[in-house]
Amino acid sequence: QDILRGLAAISATYFDQSFDELIEYVPGGPPNFKGTYGNLRGATSRGMEVELRTAAQRGWSGRASVTWLRAVVSELAPGYTGTARVGDELLRRPRKTGGLSLLFTGGNGASSALSVRHLGKRPDLDFRTFPSKRVTLPGVTVADLAGMFPLVRSGRAPIALTLRVDNIFDKRFQEVFNFDAPGRRILLGGRIEALLR
């Protein structure tokens, strides 16, 4: 739906999904702790996403979105030996996620984008223990920056400088329990658009 006389648009999506036979890793016990795989006979994923987009104004545009999710186990296969129970939330599916992006495109071909993403609390397993205990990973908000700056615009091979900074504020967090996500990364590069004739 367009709003603010066409300056922005808002949309909402509701989803209701059912999954059959999801494969899950099941850690093994002593003496060798050899793991295996089991089937989550059924699972459901229901939620809503709301998105707001702005029209470009003097090179600036933006986008914001938020998603609410409820993903749970609905049925287990006979002989299942894992720790999941009917009604448990699926692993690493956050109840709430969100994002905010601000983009700029200049008349000289330069462009930049600042994005902020939020990952809400989500369940995971601590494989250091047997049986593996369910844990909750805390929510985290991470910011990224990217840009492209033309150096040579004429000729058959325009050249541009590219810059990307992931995790600007060097946030320390885990997307998977006990495995640290990368810290700040700065990537500097070049781009050549060769015109073949």
Side-chain angles (χ1 to χ4, degrees), residues 41-97:
R41 177 63 60 83
T44 59
S45 177
R46 299 185 178 97
M48 174 176 285
E49 180 178 55
V50 178
E51 182 179 69
L52 174 69
R53 290 180 177 270
T54 65
Q57 297 289 325
R58 297 183 180 181
W60 292 92
S61 61
R63 173 182 178 271
S65 66
V66 60
T67 301
W68 295 273
L69 172 68
R70 177 70 170 166
V72 300
V73 177
S74 59
E75 185 181 357
L76 295 174
Y80 172 79
T81 58
T83 58
R85 298 293 179 263
V86 172
D88 282 353
E89 292 183 90
L90 295 181
L91 299 180
R92 302 176 192 138
R93 268 77 161 186
R95 285 196 175 189
K96 183 169 64 176
T97 56

Side-chain angles (χ1 to χ4, degrees), residues 57-183:
Q57 297 289 325
R58 297 183 180 181
W60 292 92
S61 61
R63 173 182 178 271
S65 66
V66 60
T67 301
W68 295 273
L69 172 68
R70 177 70 170 166
V72 300
V73 177
S74 59
E75 185 181 357
L76 295 174
Y80 172 79
T81 58
T83 58
R85 298 293 179 263
V86 172
D88 282 353
E89 292 183 90
L90 295 181
L91 299 180
R92 302 176 192 138
R93 268 77 161 186
R95 285 196 175 189
K96 183 169 64 176
T97 56
L100 178 66
S101 299
L102 183 63
L103 301 95
F104 176 76
T105 302
N108 63 349
S111 64
S112 60
L114 173 65
S115 61
V116 179
R117 49 195 169 94
H118 175 75
L119 194 63
K121 295 180 180 180
R122 57 230 177 265
D124 207 338
L125 289 179
D126 182 356
F127 290 108
R128 298 174 301 177
T129 63
F130 182 83
S132 299
K133 296 179 180 179
R134 290 178 73 91
V135 295
T136 299
L137 291 171
V140 64
T141 301
V142 181
D144 305 314
L145 178 68
M148 184 174 70
F149 313 94
L151 299 178
V152 178
R153 299 184 61 194
S154 60
R156 296 185 57 189
I159 301 174
L161 180 70
T162 62
L163 172 67
R164 195 176 86 201
V165 183
D166 296 334
N167 194 357
I168 298 172
F169 301 108
D170 199 26
K171 280 287 188 71
R172 300 299 177 182
F173 66 100
Q174 297 179 349
E175 292 184 292
V176 177
F177 182 74
N178 215 31
F179 289 87
D180 291 335

